[in-house]
Amino acid sequence: MEPYATADQVWAGGLIFARIGAILLSLPGIGESYVPPRIRLALALVVSLALWPIIAPSLPGLPASLGGAVGWIIREVVTGLMIGVILRAFTAALSVAGEVVSLQTTLSFAQTTNPLQAQPGTTIGAFLMLLGTVLIFATNTHHLFIAGLVGSYELVAPARPLVTADFVELAVRTVADSFILGVQLSAPVIVFALIFNLAAGLVGRVMPAFQIFFAAAPLSIILGLSIFALSLGVLGTVFIDRYRALANLFVSGGVGG
């Protein structure tokens, strides 16, 4: 390698690739299971080479021992995984919203394969997860990911101790916020289902002989999906705004705060 790059340059590139590769393997859209690993690793290599002139001066020098080098690599991989998992965890808000909407419209029994989670889920949940991924790329939010890659070296500099406590606090807060946001996104359907079920219950009490279930089930599905479709624009806007705010934390270095 000496005719092409010095040992210190190869070490800096490998250290950058360890963190960037771990982040890109976990990000929504890019890190999905249906994206071939070769493509993800190739993208991580290209991004690492592009960011090398900016990040290399802040990296530690080549350790004298093999154990020291392995320790640095593991540290960077863990840092990248923590950042990527936090960004991916927030997308669970769409899955929660889809599950709540399916429960309220009696469609929760209709399970389908979710390509983003590699496991069965409700059809509405799978649709919202795909919608969220499309919105991330359609609104150029993925550009914030690239800026966050550079910002992560200011936030979690390799020369400083790993801020594990701050990452754990942020992860817990992110998961909690994602569930709260999921319920908020499905609020219109929840309100409709509450009013509709109360009305159906009153009709059932007033007219005991009337088969209210056979009349109410189709209306619940049609009206519930109609309200869900009408609120879809607001749902997508609120989600992408909140997601951009989370991504900006890594760009501006606000995790520690």
Side-chain angles (χ1 to χ4, degrees):
M1 293 295 296
E2 286 296 333
Y4 304 98
T6 64
D8 289 334
Q9 290 174 333
V10 175
W11 162 250
L15 206 61
I16 295 172
F17 178 76
R19 180 183 295 198
I20 301 300
I23 294 176
L24 293 182
L25 288 174
S26 307
L27 282 179
I30 301 173
E32 307 302 340
S33 58
Y34 56 78
V35 179
R38 292 181 181 178
I39 294 179
R40 286 181 279 175
L41 292 176
L43 178 62
L45 180 60
V46 171
V47 174
S48 300
L49 292 176
L51 298 181
W52 181 83
I54 302 174
I55 301 174
S58 63
L59 297 178
L62 179 64
S65 63
L66 178 62
V70 172
W72 278 110
I73 294 294
I74 293 176
R75 182 187 187 278
E76 291 301 293
V77 170
V78 171
T79 302
L81 289 176
M82 288 191 298
I83 295 174
V85 167
I86 288 175
L87 291 173
R88 173 177 285 275
F90 197 75
T91 59
L94 295 174
S95 181
V96 172
E99 295 290 338
V100 173
V101 172
S102 298
L103 285 172
Q104 300 301 326
T105 55
T106 68
L107 293 175
S108 58
F109 62 86
Q111 299 286 312
T112 186
T113 301
N114 190 332
L116 302 185
Q117 296 181 342
Q119 63 183 5
T122 60
T123 304
I124 297 178
F127 167 74
L128 288 179
M129 290 292 289
L130 289 172
L131 175 65
T133 303
V134 171
L135 287 175
I136 288 174
F137 288 93
T139 58
N140 292 329
T141 304
H142 60 289
H143 292 173
L144 292 177
F145 296 160
I146 300 176
L149 297 178
V150 180
S152 68
Y153 283 90
E154 299 178 2
L155 180 65
V156 190
R160 292 187 301 198
L162 189 62
V163 285
T164 308
D166 291 334
F167 268 111
V168 171
E169 180 184 355
L170 179 61
V172 172
R173 190 168 71 236
T174 300
V175 173
D177 290 343
S178 68
F179 277 96
I180 294 173
L181 180 61
V183 175
Q184 292 174 343
L185 294 177
S186 59
V189 180
I190 293 177
V191 173
F192 156 75
L194 179 62
I195 297 174
F196 184 86
N197 290 330
L198 285 175
L202 290 175
V203 172
R205 294 290 293 178
V206 173
M207 305 172 60
F210 181 65
Q211 298 294 331
I212 186 63
F213 175 79
F214 294 101
L219 287 176
S220 175
I221 296 174
I222 294 173
L223 296 178
L225 291 180
S226 299
I227 293 176
F228 171 70
L230 291 174
S231 62
L232 200 56
V234 178
L235 184 151
T237 302
V238 172
F239 169 76
I240 203 64
D241 287 344
R242 295 285 297 275
Y243 197 82
R244 289 176 69 91
L246 176 65
N248 276 321
L249 289 178
F250 296 97
V251 178
S252 59
V255 174

